[in-house]
Amino acid sequence: MQYYVPHPASEALLTSASNWMIIIGGFALILGLVSLIQLHMNRIQRNVEGWGYSGVLFAAMFVMVIAGILAGGENLDSERELTGYGWTYSYAMVPLQGTMFSLLAFFVASAAYRAFRARTKEAALLLVAAILMMWGRVPLGEYLWAFSGDIAQWILNVINSSVRRAILIGVSLGMIALSIKIIFGIERMYLGGKKE
Amino acid sequence: MKPSNHSIVSMMLTIDRRYIFVLIALATLIPLLNPINLPIVISPEVRAVYDHMESLPEGAVFLLSMDFDPASKPEVYPQAISLLRHAFKKNMKVIGMTLVVTGTGMAEEVIATVAEDMGKINGIDYTFLGWRPGASAVILSMGQDLAGTFPQDHYGTPIDELFVMEHVKTLRDVDYAVSLAAGFPGIDEWYIYGKDKYQFELGGGSTAVMAPGLYPRLRGGQINGLIGGLRGAAEYEKLLDQSGKAMAGMDAQSATHFVIIVLVILCNVFYAISRQQKRGWRRT
Amino acid sequence: MCKRIVSFVFTVVVMFLSPLASVVVQAQLQPPQDFRVMDTPNDGGRSLTLGWRASTFDGPSLQYRVLIAMAVEGPYQEVAAFSNNQHFQKDTKSPWWAHLFEQNNHRFDLKSGGQLMLSDGTPYWVKLVIDNGMDSSETQPLSATSFPNFFNWAQANNLLLLILFTVAVLFSILRARKNPHGFLRRIEGLDAVEEAIGRATEMGKPILYLTGSAAMDNPSTIAATVVLSEVAKKVSAYEAGLIVPHRDPIVLAICQEITKEAYTQTGHPDAYKTEMNFYITDDQFSYTAAVQGIMLRERPAAIFMLGYYYAESLLLAETGHEAGAIQIAGTDADHQLPFFFIACDYTLMGEELYAASAYLSREPVMVGTLRAQDMGKAVLLGALILGVAISTIGEIFQTETLMYVAQVFYDFK
């Protein structure tokens, strides 16, 4: 509706709907927390294998919540020193999340080694494109072969963009069709109901 | 000889991935410890962001939305440093914010640190609005009434009292906005709910994984430029003529890319040998 | 002869003086012609649009200034100044059916922002001054009131296409009800669902089902939950185990209902356990680490990764591969498709995710929708070809006439 109706009333409606979603999301978080606590309490009670990890989860939750309450949710205090919450954020959460993300580099390498095999003509094409992209997107590649940067740029701008647009057209039509089914009440399975 | 050759080939094809992990770790570590500072070529999409920043006059309003979490810090944080340095160097009015709650601490840290380095004062030269829940609803709401969305800055000062926000009432008053994103909410949301509705110029910065997906937006003119991953950050550092963490990381990225290229080529050599061996056995 | 000389001299003098005369005339600047002020159409208000005829002597040396006042007598405040070769109707991105002025006429939108605050419903008086540095001339002040509009006519073509597509969807569904045996292209990934569940049953291992990282307002999450219903039915029929960890509590609540309903429909309500669906966290990498842990501890025989994914896609898919599971992924997150493609056994690309429920259930209503999607795609493909042809012909013959047709398919944001 927002797309066709520029009137501020439609913007207000969307903002209001979004605010309701935030409120519902906040209450739904209680559902999630209950689910999480139930699951891990059960694990501890039944002494299932790896129940200690559930203990670690509760301990970490407790430490973070207490640190957050004591620091009033602030990372820095009035003297711009790290609070307890800020400390756990900077020295636990940031490096842990960074570690998880950096695993991607390792997994990309192992997946590429396993998957980029010239089994068919299409796979060979994928392999060549991947090598050209990896070559042309780093300074060493451009240093060794100056033209590689232009090739990588061309692949990104032309082939990549057109293929993605084609996928997006299909996805968008699928989304619109699904939305129409939901609006007309034809699709109700996502509510746990049966199809019409 | 045949069986031993075959066993080597099959062993190489099904090599334990931990050996690959060690190679990648070495390819990252060694260049970081012994950098050779390879020359960096500037791509048009990064230059577009730089040129647009250069074209803005002194006092222009620059909004930097740091929509990334700690996981993306290594790639996107250097982009934030460079953009902030550029904006402060040009004496722009800088508004910092984030749509990702876990990124609030980092966003505050980067804007406060760079501002201090450049001798800028909070409230006069820049402000950090912090985080509000709602993602795209926040952008939409900022387009209608910025003070209504962020009545106070991150430190509790009413934004009506901030000199830097004097003529900034809605997103329409922003001259240039850049979203540094690592997922949702990010550049797509800033375009759909921000630029498209409130008509301001928008640029983007993202992780390398996300960057190729943003090229259709770039080609369609929906964003005027794109800083992609650590490489993009390094290019921006070079444009500013300031060596930072991104440029230092480029050698490591070059080495890891070439390790993967060599691994892929080797894997295909072994694969070709194994196929030839299988064909040979079928004939005999 | 003398007359001839006098006539020649006179002609020469006239020839030389006539341009000077025109300069003298030009020096006395005429006010802009056909000046009009109105509310900016198709917008959210707080904006006025000015239009006037482009004069023959427009150029960068001349300047226009826009003045605004609350009353006809003033005081007038200057709110914009620009050179004469700027701001034309042709510069604005609007289709031919929403043009206010002729293409070569000037158009300037006066929008609220910065130091100019316009209020809806308040009449403003606007006049335009033309200035060449030495002399200036101004129009009579004109009044206009801004107000918000209820419909953006510039996007009427888009609405028309949407209505046509909606009709096509509903028509296809009706047709599919009458003739339920429609053809469906083979999708390998979905054919493998049965095989994956059978394998899990044989091995006595559970099935791990992920609904992605997006919330319930994302269509791909809805599609993933619809497929979960079909998978849960098969899982309950085979009496295999099911693990569904979540990132969003609302998705968790909905999936609990879906799974329960699926088990009830197949006549195994007792086999359903609430703990099949559980919440982990909404934090991307904490969730990823937890699911990786489940993959390596439980060693599921089959892993379904449907819905919207970000950078966690490869981390999950590689760990799943390491766990030895048969993996079926499906996402409309185009930037994550390559990762699933290289690390999973089967990948549903883009719209195949939306087709999955139709494919698995073979319900006429669902299959009918796919038919409409195909029709939509055919129309868009035709529009693409037509657009390319029209643009090319227009470029070759230097004509914009054909653009009237092409603009029907444009997006005017």
Side-chain angles (χ1 to χ4, degrees):
Chain A
M1 225 176 74
Q2 267 279 301
Y3 187 79
Y4 304 111
V5 183
H7 199 281
S10 75
E11 287 182 6
L13 194 70
L14 183 67
T15 310
S16 168
S18 305
N19 288 340
W20 273 107
M21 275 181 69
I22 296 167
I23 295 165
I24 294 168
F27 280 104
L29 195 65
I30 300 170
L31 272 179
L33 265 176
V34 170
S35 161
L36 183 78
I37 292 168
Q38 264 180 354
L39 184 88
H40 288 279
M41 284 296 279
N42 270 344
R43 283 175 157 271
I44 293 171
Q45 276 170 357
R46 285 187 288 155
N47 272 350
V48 295
E49 197 183 343
W51 65 269
Y53 295 119
S54 299
V56 172
L57 177 120
F58 284 122
M61 266 173 79
F62 181 76
V63 168
M64 207 63 185
V65 167
I66 296 296
I69 291 170
L70 290 177
E74 296 293 333
N75 283 344
L76 301 171
D77 60 18
S78 54
E79 287 161 14
R80 299 200 60 79
E81 293 290 323
L82 278 178
T83 59
Y85 177 70
W87 193 90
T88 45
Y89 177 84
S90 300
Y91 297 111
M93 192 164 166
V94 173
L96 279 171
Q97 291 213 352
T99 307
M100 283 299 295
F101 192 57
S102 64
L103 277 178
L104 262 181
F106 296 92
F107 283 15
V108 161
S110 65
Y113 185 80
R114 200 181 63 244
F116 284 143
R117 288 178 193 176
R119 292 188 180 93
T120 59
K121 279 176 198 163
E122 290 85 359
L125 205 64
L126 191 72
L127 169 74
V128 172
I131 289 178
L132 284 173
M133 276 306 297
M134 282 189 283
W135 189 293
R137 289 295 290 171
V138 285
L140 180 60
E142 285 168 298
Y143 180 72
L144 294 173
W145 179 29
F147 195 52
S148 64
D150 295 332
I151 294 174
Q153 198 71 30
W154 183 81
I155 292 173
L156 270 177
N157 281 336
V158 181
I159 299 180
N160 165 67
S161 289
S162 53
V163 169
R164 278 175 195 277
R165 279 189 186 134
I167 292 173
L168 279 176
I169 288 172
V171 167
S172 306
L173 285 171
M175 277 187 185
I176 298 169
L178 184 67
S179 305
I180 291 169
K181 281 192 287 181
I182 291 169
I183 290 167
F184 284 92
I186 298 163
E187 175 65 83
R188 288 199 295 260
M189 266 168 76
Y190 72 101
L191 292 171
K194 294 173 191 172
K195 294 180 204 85
E196 192 190 299
Chain B
M1 283 302 284
K2 216 186 260 179
S4 79
N5 267 348
H6 173 64
S7 62
I8 291 168
V9 167
S10 67
M11 194 184 78
M12 290 310 291
L13 282 174
T14 54
I15 191 171
D16 189 331
R17 63 182 189 157
R18 282 173 292 191
Y19 291 112
I20 298 173
F21 292 170
V22 169
L23 280 176
I24 295 293
L26 290 174
T28 312
L29 266 176
I30 294 169
L32 278 176
L33 297 172
N34 305 293
I36 49 169
N37 297 322
L38 286 157
I40 295 164
V41 179
I42 311 294
S43 60
E45 53 269 25
V46 176
R47 184 172 284 283
V49 177
Y50 177 85
D51 286 348
H52 192 77
M53 291 283 281
E54 276 294 299
S55 72
L56 292 172
E58 195 171 297
V61 180
F62 173 61
L63 187 142
L64 186 65
S65 189
M66 289 164 274
D67 309 322
F68 58 94
D69 55 1
S72 321
K73 186 180 178 183
E75 280 191 285
V76 193
Y77 198 85
Q79 297 177 8
I81 293 175
S82 297
L83 282 166
L84 286 168
R85 281 191 172 280
H86 197 181
F88 285 137
K89 197 171 116 187
K90 293 220 54 175
N91 291 322
M92 290 183 195
K93 290 178 176 175
V94 176
I95 304 169
M97 60 170 286
T98 178
L99 295 173
V100 176
V101 64
T102 49
T104 318
M106 274 185 319
E108 185 206 353
E109 181 192 287
V110 68
I111 198 164
T113 315
V114 176
E116 202 179 325
D117 282 357
M118 308 279 287
K120 300 292 175 184
I121 302 162
N122 185 16
I124 295 173
D125 304 304
Y126 77 95
T127 182
F128 179 61
L129 300 177
W131 170 82
R132 283 286 176 282
S136 36
V138 174
I139 304 170
L140 206 62
S141 174
M142 285 171 79
Q144 294 165 49
D145 179 14
L146 219 149
T149 319
F150 288 94
Q152 299 168 332
D153 70 359
H154 183 67
Y155 311 101
T157 313
I159 69 163
D160 293 336
E161 293 174 15
L162 299 173
F163 173 76
V164 68
M165 298 296 288
E166 203 178 20
H167 296 302
V168 190
K169 305 297 172 203
T170 71
L171 282 179
R172 286 187 200 277
D173 304 324
V174 169
D175 295 300
Y176 192 39
V178 174
S179 168
L180 299 181
F184 173 87
I187 297 165
D188 283 339
E189 285 65 38
W190 272 103
Y191 169 67
I192 296 164
Y193 299 101
K195 179 187 173 176
D196 188 32
K197 294 187 72 65
Y198 304 110
Q199 311 296 317
F200 52 85
E201 195 53 90
L202 177 70
S206 72
T207 54
V209 174
M210 277 182 66
L214 291 163
Y215 272 77
R217 289 228 180 277
L218 188 68
R219 306 264 49 94
Q222 293 160 336
I223 50 173
N224 80 326
L226 177 68
I227 309 173
L230 196 68
R231 159 81 192 238
E235 289 176 30
Y236 212 98
E237 282 176 3
K238 193 186 171 190
L239 282 166
L240 286 178
D241 204 16
Q242 283 174 343
S243 182
K245 280 187 177 171
M247 278 172 86
M250 274 296 93
D251 291 347
Q253 202 174 55
S254 293
T256 45
H257 274 219
F258 272 81
V259 165
I260 298 175
I261 290 173
V262 171
L263 281 172
V264 168
I265 292 171
L266 273 178
C267 162
N268 276 280
V269 170
F270 292 128
Y271 181 67
I273 295 170
S274 80
R275 278 177 73 164
Q276 232 169 10
Q277 282 174 341
K278 277 177 194 166
R279 271 188 216 137
W281 293 336
R282 265 185 229 135
R283 277 191 210 115
T284 55
Chain C
M1 183 66 187
C2 191
K3 269 186 181 176
R4 277 187 184 176
I5 292 167
V6 170
S7 153
F8 176 75
V9 170
F10 180 76
T11 312
V12 169
V13 168
V14 168
M15 277 174 69
F16 272 96
L17 285 181
S18 54
L20 287 176
S22 89
V23 169
V24 172
V25 172
Q26 278 184 24
Q28 294 166 346
L29 280 174
Q30 295 293 311
Q33 301 297 301
D34 292 340
F35 177 58
R36 284 195 285 162
V37 185
M38 63 193 74
D39 166 58
T40 306
N42 310 318
D43 75 340
R46 299 199 292 166
S47 172
L48 295 173
T49 294
L50 286 62
W52 64 98
R53 198 194 303 161
S55 66
T56 47
F57 49 88
D58 268 355
S61 58
L62 294 168
Q63 203 183 42
Y64 283 118
R65 287 186 283 123
V66 180
L67 307 179
I68 193 166
M70 299 288 284
V72 66
E73 65 274 13
Y76 283 89
Q77 179 201 349
E78 186 179 314
V79 285
F82 46 89
S83 62
N84 288 28
N85 57 353
Q86 289 180 307
H87 299 294
F88 292 95
Q89 168 69 56
K90 63 186 173 198
D91 300 336
T92 57
K93 280 184 186 174
S94 64
W96 51 266
W97 61 89
H99 282 173
L100 292 174
F101 315 109
E102 281 181 30
Q103 285 287 72
N104 290 323
N105 278 7
H106 283 284
R107 172 183 170 156
F108 183 72
D109 291 343
L110 206 56
K111 288 178 182 170
S112 192
Q115 287 169 328
L116 173 68
M117 296 308 288
L118 295 176
S119 305
D120 288 332
T122 308
Y124 291 94
W125 291 87
V126 183
K127 59 185 180 181
L128 189 68
V129 179
I130 185 164
D131 193 334
N132 64 5
M134 290 180 292
D135 192 16
S136 68
S137 175
E138 63 181 41
T139 61
Q140 287 294 316
L142 293 177
S143 176
T145 308
S146 77
F147 55 87
N149 303 108
F150 280 100
F151 186 69
N152 185 353
W153 286 100
Q155 282 154 2
N157 59 337
N158 191 294
L159 182 65
L160 184 71
L161 289 174
L162 178 70
I163 291 169
L164 288 175
F165 185 61
T166 308
V167 170
V169 169
L170 297 176
F171 174 73
S172 303
I173 290 171
L174 280 176
R175 231 182 113 195
R177 277 186 180 147
K178 285 180 190 158
N179 176 24
H181 305 293
F183 167 76
L184 275 184
R185 167 174 74 82
R186 225 182 127 234
I187 302 175
E188 276 189 13
L190 294 173
D191 285 341
V193 168
E194 196 95 22
E195 176 202 333
I197 298 170
R199 183 172 179 256
T201 315
E202 277 172 26
M203 293 169 76
K205 287 182 174 178
I207 286 149
L208 181 67
Y209 192 101
L210 308 178
T211 54
S213 297
M216 210 58 215
D217 59 346
N218 191 313
S220 53
T221 309
I222 296 176
T225 57
V226 172
V227 178
L228 170 66
S229 171
E230 298 298 330
V231 170
K233 277 180 204 162
K234 292 188 192 328
V235 168
S236 64
Y238 280 94
E239 294 178 12
L242 182 66
I243 305 171
V244 196
H246 291 278
R247 253 187 90 170
D248 186 289
I250 297 177
V251 182
L252 160 80
I254 287 167
C255 286
Q256 279 176 334
E257 280 305 306
I258 287 173
T259 318
K260 193 176 175 182
E261 179 66 30
Y263 273 71
T264 310
Q265 275 183 34
T266 51
H268 299 89
D270 300 339
Y272 170 75
K273 292 187 196 97
T274 317
E275 311 88 83
M276 284 172 173
N277 288 272
F278 57 92
Y279 176 77
I280 294 178
T281 170
D282 71 339
D283 185 76
Q284 184 186 18
F285 288 108
S286 310
Y287 171 83
T288 309
V291 175
Q292 283 176 313
I294 292 168
M295 285 174 177
L296 294 175
R297 283 193 302 274
E298 304 287 339
R299 300 264 165 193
I303 299 173
F304 291 86
M305 286 176 277
L306 303 179
Y308 203 89
Y309 291 85
Y310 296 98
E312 69 277 11
S313 61
L314 185 67
L315 298 179
L316 293 170
E318 265 297 281
T319 313
H321 178 268
E322 191 65 15
I326 177 168
Q327 298 196 97
I328 300 172
T331 186
D332 58 354
D334 54 332
H335 47 99
Q336 300 304 327
L337 274 171
F339 299 123
F340 280 140
F341 203 70
I342 60 165
C344 294
D345 299 282
Y346 302 98
T347 306
L348 306 178
M349 295 199 336
E351 70 205 279
E352 286 179 346
L353 172 64
Y354 298 102
S357 59
Y359 193 88
L360 290 172
S361 66
R362 303 275 165 170
E363 286 250 347
V365 172
M366 302 286 152
V367 178
T369 319
L370 295 185
R371 194 77 70 246
Q373 279 173 242
D374 284 348
M375 284 158 68
K377 240 190 275 182
V379 169
L380 288 179
L381 198 64
L384 273 174
I385 295 166
L386 189 72
V388 169
I390 284 173
S391 301
T392 311
I393 294 168
E395 199 62 37
I396 293 169
F397 295 101
Q398 292 294 308
T399 173
E400 289 188 359
T401 320
L402 294 169
M403 293 311 277
Y404 289 106
V405 182
Q407 282 193 354
V408 174
F409 298 98
Y410 273 21
D411 178 27
F412 294 98
K413 281 186 177 176

